[in-house]
Amino acid sequence: MCAGARSKRGRSCVGGATRGKRVPRAVREQQMLDAAVRAFARSGYQHASMDDIAELAGVSKPLVYLYLRSKEELFAACIRREVAALVAAVRAAVERGAPADRQLWSGLSGFFAHTAAHPDGWTLLHVQARTHGRPFAREVAAMREELVTFVTQLLAAAARDNAARDQLARADVSAIAHALVGAAESLADWAGDQGGPSAQEAAATLMDFAWAGLGNVLRGEGWSCEAVSHQAAYDG
Amino acid sequence: MCAGARSKRGRSCVGGATRGKRVPRAVREQQMLDAAVRAFARSGYQHASMDDIAELAGVSKPLVYLYLRSKEELFAACIRREVAALVAAVRAAVERGAPADRQLWSGLSGFFAHTAAHPDGWTLLHVQARTHGRPFAREVAAMREELVTFVTQLLAAAARDNAARDQLARADVSAIAHALVGAAESLADWAGDQGGPSAQEAAATLMDFAWAGLGNVLRGEGWSCEAVSHQAAYDG
Amino acid sequence: MCAGARSKRGRSCVGGATRGKRVPRAVREQQMLDAAVRAFARSGYQHASMDDIAELAGVSKPLVYLYLRSKEELFAACIRREVAALVAAVRAAVERGAPADRQLWSGLSGFFAHTAAHPDGWTLLHVQARTHGRPFAREVAAMREELVTFVTQLLAAAARDNAARDQLARADVSAIAHALVGAAESLADWAGDQGGPSAQEAAATLMDFAWAGLGNVLRGEGWSCEAVSHQAAYDG
Amino acid sequence: MCAGARSKRGRSCVGGATRGKRVPRAVREQQMLDAAVRAFARSGYQHASMDDIAELAGVSKPLVYLYLRSKEELFAACIRREVAALVAAVRAAVERGAPADRQLWSGLSGFFAHTAAHPDGWTLLHVQARTHGRPFAREVAAMREELVTFVTQLLAAAARDNAARDQLARADVSAIAHALVGAAESLADWAGDQGGPSAQEAAATLMDFAWAGLGNVLRGEGWSCEAVSHQAAYDG
DNA sequence: TATGAATGAGCGTTCATTCAT
DNA sequence: CATGAATGAACGCTCATTCAT
């Protein structure tokens, strides 16, 4: 593979890309996106040059421009593809119709499994996209909001079954959802390092940790800085 | 202020900087760091040019190089300053000698208060520093590890008083600490947007949410995906 | 020629370069080297800017970098080309198989003819290359050593036929070769000025001057500062 | 010495310079010239910065400007000083009134002795001054012309005593003088390297080599490319 | 479909030089 | 006599982008 490549720096093409062959557009585009996601994730948006990406994709630079117009649009296309893939993975993992906690757990499992399986994609979304200009950050923020909304709905569903539902302000639920998503992201990063937990472990830990806290809040029994109620947490 | 400025693009200087005046080196350096933190946080490392920073600081570019050697060293100096400031803020906020939960709460309050008061610094650390090269990311990672360690110790202290201490694996505590820090970061970001909660609210929500979960884990009563034990969370 | 040139300073391109046309890489490279040799020789390494050279070559600056990587490599390429050309010219001029003196004379003729025909190249080697960094100087020194060695061999060949061969220390031959090459260089410089001799004249003068001195040394009849033997030189 | 120096790179001052002391102008100027000659010779004109020179001289930069106006004038002053020193050394070495060959020999001895004793000065004149702009090269060329003229006069004096004087064209003498000076320079360079000859050896070798050749030319018995007269050189 | 050739624009960096004290 | 503070101008180099084929 990568037969005709005369890579200046000896790098080979990504995936099964073979240089010089006539290949349908759709396939070439995916090759380019593969290369770009990898390059952007590993080198950063600025440091990854169009030359690098073209070479990694096994095509000439003008072809990249022909298909993807500009570096910004290429980056945007990468983000869109990875966002779609992550959302799809989470959606597919969620067990619809199951109780809220089970849905949350399955969604988290899917999330951790996907980020672990696609580290470059996760880095692209979590690290690179936020750093380079509003439009990209917005795209990721939109996805994040989608996830937060999904979590919020699950929390609301749980609350619906609960006697204390009225005491639950919408803002509280949102805040908890944000905290939960942030915790998940943090664990996903940590899981990416060596020494971190597996996807299953991460999901389990987070559920252990979060669900009780949620119940607590729903019952209106939150920890209070005024009270000495912190005793409640570890007293039997 | 900014009297003699002949800003090419009409931008004014940051802070109380006045262009053209003779100022002692230490003062100028702080002005430069102020400008650089702002520029880096808002435009990103690559997009913020040394020209921009110099102009924002109200000095000429060579002076920036004379005092701070290079763009990389300038960025590093910014990160170091902001890391030190954030760590100091948290340290100062923690009520030493208080019970673990109270310490955690006060630390979180300090954290949220500082990030809210210094949004550019927080963006620099949380968003920009991770993206641009290992050395910077390492510096921030070290700070993060320091916070995680601090949280871990608090959790361990809480566990020590608890009957179920033996059931608590070290890894679990670490994971929870990571989750907690991630949740805090997420809330700090959210609080930075308009519409987000205040520092006090964020700290309170997170404590509500986290402390119960922690107690739950400590009691070994974690949510389990096999059991229907999720009922326990919202059942009375 | 130099049709589309919009030279900022009104300078025209070197040689037959026409700006803007698509030209094969090999040709462009030679045009660039032509321009660079000229610029370096006339302005010096530091004073000749890459902008100047690009303009003189009738191309844009990035193209120079694309083909020749950096100013240093460009300079090195110039030196290598001129070294090769000078050595080739001398080699081609030498009449192999002829007696040593005839070989020396023909070599000198070739040397003077080439330096006179390529004054910029000669300046580059003799004046500029020695001044700017070890690697360049080394390259020229290597060529010089090659010439010195060649001369040394000729002198040794002459000595071999001579009865006094044993009295000739190796160091003496080396020293004479160095002196001879230095004399040739000096004459080449002088011939470059207006008013200087032609190549033929220079070669003849130097031979007149050198060959007798050489015979003298070979016979062990050198001038001596102690003796009044200087009389021998101008006495009949 | 060099007491108050806060050299950024730990370099000490040249000679006996002591930083910060009040020192008469003439002395300071010589310190600066010492430093500049050294810096220019070793780093080249461009690479030696005014900061380096000031630091090496143990003074602040503005003082250098106060005394020597500009980098170009500083360089010119260095050249003038070194030219004067070299010319003075040669003049002092020449035994006036002695026969021409003895004068030439003593002059050469003085030349080699001085260049060996002041390698930075010699490098400045022979390598640096020619490379950087016309005015400097002219200054050195003038000195060279002075030496060539002196040699020419000696040769002419020798010829005057010779029967064949009429056959000696002025151009020939000039050419021989140029060759001789070039040979001397080449030997001076070579003597600067390790492994090269001493001043005395260089002078002796050059006289051995040159004086016979000169006599030969004066007698009109030069080597000829047409004749097979090269035999004459090494035949008894 | 695919590419070799070419460029405009900008950035990081350096340095000779000058005030104000 | 001597200097810390400050800058205008230029240069090496890179890169996204576009023709012409």
Side-chain angles (χ1 to χ4, degrees):
Chain A
M1 49 193 77
C2 247
R6 303 139 308 160
S7 309
K8 282 157 203 163
R9 276 162 272 179
R11 279 210 242 116
S12 58
C13 313
V14 81
T18 52
R19 185 171 185 126
K21 290 279 182 191
R22 302 262 160 156
V23 167
R25 172 161 185 157
V27 176
R28 273 275 191 257
E29 276 190 10
Q30 288 308 311
Q31 290 175 351
M32 291 176 192
L33 290 180
D34 289 342
V37 166
R38 190 154 148 180
F40 285 141
R42 301 188 180 183
S43 309
Y45 177 73
Q46 307 279 353
H47 191 74
S49 74
M50 291 299 266
D51 280 282
D52 293 345
I53 293 169
E55 190 189 331
L56 198 60
V59 294
S60 74
K61 211 171 19 167
L63 201 60
V64 179
Y65 277 89
L66 186 63
Y67 286 175
L68 288 144
R69 315 298 299 179
S70 77
K71 195 184 190 184
E72 290 216 333
E73 285 195 35
L74 172 57
F75 193 49
C78 289
I79 290 174
R80 271 196 289 276
R81 193 181 79 167
E82 296 305 314
V83 161
L86 178 51
V87 167
V90 172
R91 267 199 224 289
V94 169
E95 300 172 23
R96 315 231 161 202
D101 63 334
R102 182 121 202 139
Q103 285 195 43
L104 182 57
W105 177 81
S106 53
L108 284 172
S109 287
F111 175 80
F112 288 122
H114 184 85
T115 55
H118 303 89
D120 285 338
W122 173 239
T123 299
L124 190 76
L125 298 184
H126 187 50
V127 179
Q128 297 297 337
R130 324 185 80 142
T131 318
H132 303 289
R134 285 295 147 85
F136 310 126
R138 233 193 289 279
E139 208 125 1
V140 174
M143 175 197 73
R144 204 172 188 276
E145 215 50 52
E146 192 177 331
L147 295 180
V148 167
T149 301
F150 174 63
V151 172
T152 304
Q153 285 168 347
L154 288 184
L155 301 188
R160 217 169 298 128
D161 306 334
N162 193 289
R165 84 195 70 165
D166 297 335
Q167 299 166 10
L168 198 66
R170 172 136 215 90
D172 283 335
V173 176
S174 261
I176 292 175
H178 268 100
L180 199 52
V181 170
E185 290 169 344
S186 179
L187 285 178
D189 283 351
W190 193 38
D193 302 355
Q194 62 272 48
S198 74
Q200 291 299 325
E201 290 163 2
T205 300
L206 191 51
M207 281 304 290
D208 274 4
F209 173 63
W211 201 249
L214 175 65
N216 201 39
V217 173
L218 293 180
R219 277 190 307 277
E221 294 179 358
W223 177 93
S224 158
C225 58
E226 277 96 28
V228 284
S229 66
H230 62 276
Q231 299 276 342
Y234 47 87
D235 283 8
Chain B
M1 47 194 78
C2 245
R6 305 140 302 164
S7 308
K8 282 154 202 163
R9 277 161 273 180
R11 279 209 241 118
S12 60
C13 311
V14 81
T18 51
R19 185 171 185 125
K21 287 279 182 195
R22 301 262 160 157
V23 165
R25 175 170 181 148
V27 175
R28 273 278 190 254
E29 275 188 9
Q30 288 308 310
Q31 291 175 347
M32 290 175 192
L33 289 179
D34 290 343
V37 167
R38 190 153 147 180
F40 285 140
R42 300 189 181 183
S43 309
Y45 178 74
Q46 309 278 353
H47 192 74
S49 77
M50 292 299 268
D51 280 285
D52 295 343
I53 293 168
E55 190 188 333
L56 197 61
V59 295
S60 70
K61 202 167 34 162
L63 202 59
V64 180
Y65 278 91
L66 187 63
Y67 287 173
L68 288 145
R69 318 293 299 179
S70 75
K71 195 182 191 183
E72 287 216 336
E73 284 195 36
L74 172 58
F75 193 51
C78 290
I79 290 174
R80 273 196 290 274
R81 194 181 77 166
E82 295 306 316
V83 161
L86 177 51
V87 168
V90 172
R91 268 198 225 287
V94 169
E95 300 170 24
R96 310 217 169 217
D101 64 333
R102 182 121 202 139
Q103 285 194 45
L104 182 57
W105 177 82
S106 53
L108 283 172
S109 287
F111 174 81
F112 288 123
H114 184 85
T115 56
H118 303 89
D120 286 337
W122 173 239
T123 299
L124 190 75
L125 298 184
H126 187 51
V127 179
Q128 298 297 337
R130 322 185 81 139
T131 318
H132 303 289
R134 286 295 147 84
F136 310 127
R138 235 194 287 279
E139 209 127 358
V140 173
M143 176 198 72
R144 202 173 190 275
E145 214 51 51
E146 194 177 331
L147 295 181
V148 167
T149 301
F150 174 64
V151 171
T152 303
Q153 286 167 344
L154 289 184
L155 300 187
R160 215 170 299 128
D161 306 334
N162 192 290
R165 84 194 70 162
D166 297 334
Q167 298 165 10
L168 199 65
R170 172 133 215 91
D172 283 335
V173 176
S174 259
I176 292 175
H178 268 100
L180 199 53
V181 170
E185 289 169 345
S186 179
L187 286 177
D189 283 351
W190 192 38
D193 303 354
Q194 61 275 46
S198 74
Q200 291 299 326
E201 289 163 2
T205 299
L206 191 51
M207 280 303 288
D208 275 4
F209 173 64
W211 201 249
L214 174 64
N216 202 38
V217 172
L218 292 179
R219 275 191 308 278
E221 294 178 359
W223 177 93
S224 157
C225 57
E226 277 96 29
V228 284
S229 65
H230 62 274
Q231 298 275 340
Y234 47 88
D235 281 9
Chain C
M1 47 196 78
C2 247
R6 303 138 305 162
S7 309
K8 283 154 201 164
R9 277 161 272 180
R11 280 209 242 118
S12 60
C13 312
V14 81
T18 51
R19 183 166 187 130
K21 288 280 182 193
R22 301 266 159 152
V23 165
R25 175 170 181 149
V27 176
R28 272 278 190 256
E29 275 189 9
Q30 288 309 311
Q31 292 175 348
M32 289 175 192
L33 290 179
D34 290 343
V37 166
R38 191 154 148 180
F40 285 140
R42 301 189 179 183
S43 309
Y45 178 74
Q46 309 278 354
H47 191 74
S49 76
M50 291 300 266
D51 279 287
D52 294 343
I53 293 168
E55 191 188 331
L56 197 60
V59 294
S60 70
K61 201 169 33 165
L63 202 60
V64 180
Y65 278 92
L66 187 63
Y67 288 173
L68 289 145
R69 320 294 297 182
S70 76
K71 195 182 191 185
E72 287 216 336
E73 284 195 35
L74 172 58
F75 193 51
C78 289
I79 290 174
R80 271 196 290 277
R81 194 181 77 166
E82 297 306 315
V83 161
L86 178 51
V87 168
V90 172
R91 268 197 224 290
V94 169
E95 300 172 23
R96 313 223 165 210
D101 63 332
R102 182 123 202 137
Q103 286 195 43
L104 182 56
W105 177 81
S106 53
L108 284 172
S109 288
F111 175 81
F112 287 122
H114 184 84
T115 55
H118 304 88
D120 286 336
W122 174 239
T123 300
L124 189 75
L125 298 184
H126 187 50
V127 179
Q128 298 297 336
R130 324 186 80 141
T131 317
H132 303 290
R134 286 295 147 86
F136 309 127
R138 235 194 287 280
E139 208 127 0
V140 174
M143 177 197 72
R144 203 173 189 274
E145 215 50 51
E146 193 178 331
L147 296 180
V148 167
T149 301
F150 174 63
V151 171
T152 304
Q153 285 167 346
L154 289 183
L155 301 188
R160 215 170 298 128
D161 305 334
N162 192 290
R165 82 196 70 164
D166 296 335
Q167 299 166 8
L168 197 67
R170 173 136 216 91
D172 283 336
V173 176
S174 262
I176 292 176
H178 268 100
L180 198 52
V181 170
E185 290 169 345
S186 179
L187 285 177
D189 284 350
W190 191 39
D193 302 355
Q194 61 274 46
S198 74
Q200 291 299 324
E201 288 162 3
T205 301
L206 191 50
M207 280 303 289
D208 275 2
F209 173 63
W211 201 249
L214 174 63
N216 201 40
V217 172
L218 292 179
R219 276 190 307 276
E221 294 178 358
W223 177 94
S224 159
C225 57
E226 276 96 29
V228 284
S229 67
H230 63 275
Q231 298 277 341
Y234 48 87
D235 281 10
Chain D
M1 46 194 79
C2 244
R6 305 139 305 161
S7 309
K8 283 156 201 163
R9 277 162 270 179
R11 280 209 242 115
S12 59
C13 311
V14 82
T18 52
R19 187 174 184 120
K21 290 279 181 192
R22 303 259 161 160
V23 165
R25 172 162 185 156
V27 176
R28 274 275 191 254
E29 276 191 8
Q30 288 308 310
Q31 290 174 350
M32 290 176 192
L33 289 180
D34 288 343
V37 166
R38 189 153 147 179
F40 285 141
R42 300 188 180 183
S43 310
Y45 177 73
Q46 307 280 351
H47 191 75
S49 74
M50 292 299 267
D51 281 283
D52 294 343
I53 293 168
E55 189 188 333
L56 197 60
V59 294
S60 74
K61 211 169 21 166
L63 200 59
V64 179
Y65 278 89
L66 185 63
Y67 286 175
L68 288 144
R69 316 297 297 177
S70 77
K71 194 184 191 183
E72 289 217 334
E73 285 195 35
L74 172 57
F75 192 49
C78 289
I79 291 174
R80 272 196 291 275
R81 194 181 77 166
E82 296 305 315
V83 161
L86 177 52
V87 167
V90 172
R91 268 199 224 288
V94 169
E95 299 170 25
R96 314 229 163 206
D101 62 334
R102 182 120 203 139
Q103 287 195 44
L104 182 57
W105 178 81
S106 53
L108 284 172
S109 288
F111 174 81
F112 288 123
H114 184 85
T115 55
H118 303 89
D120 285 339
W122 173 239
T123 298
L124 190 75
L125 298 184
H126 186 50
V127 179
Q128 297 297 336
R130 324 186 80 142
T131 318
H132 303 289
R134 286 297 149 82
F136 310 126
R138 234 194 290 280
E139 208 125 1
V140 174
M143 175 198 72
R144 205 174 187 274
E145 214 51 52
E146 193 177 332
L147 295 181
V148 168
T149 301
F150 173 62
V151 172
T152 303
Q153 286 168 345
L154 289 183
L155 300 187
R160 214 169 300 129
D161 306 334
N162 192 291
R165 83 194 70 160
D166 297 335
Q167 299 165 9
L168 199 65
R170 172 137 217 89
D172 282 336
V173 176
S174 260
I176 292 175
H178 268 100
L180 200 51
V181 170
E185 290 169 345
S186 179
L187 285 178
D189 283 350
W190 192 37
D193 302 354
Q194 61 274 47
S198 73
Q200 290 300 325
E201 288 163 1
T205 300
L206 191 51
M207 281 304 289
D208 274 4
F209 174 64
W211 200 247
L214 175 64
N216 202 38
V217 173
L218 293 179
R219 275 191 308 277
E221 294 178 359
W223 177 93
S224 158
C225 58
E226 277 95 28
V228 284
S229 65
H230 63 274
Q231 298 274 342
Y234 47 87
D235 281 11

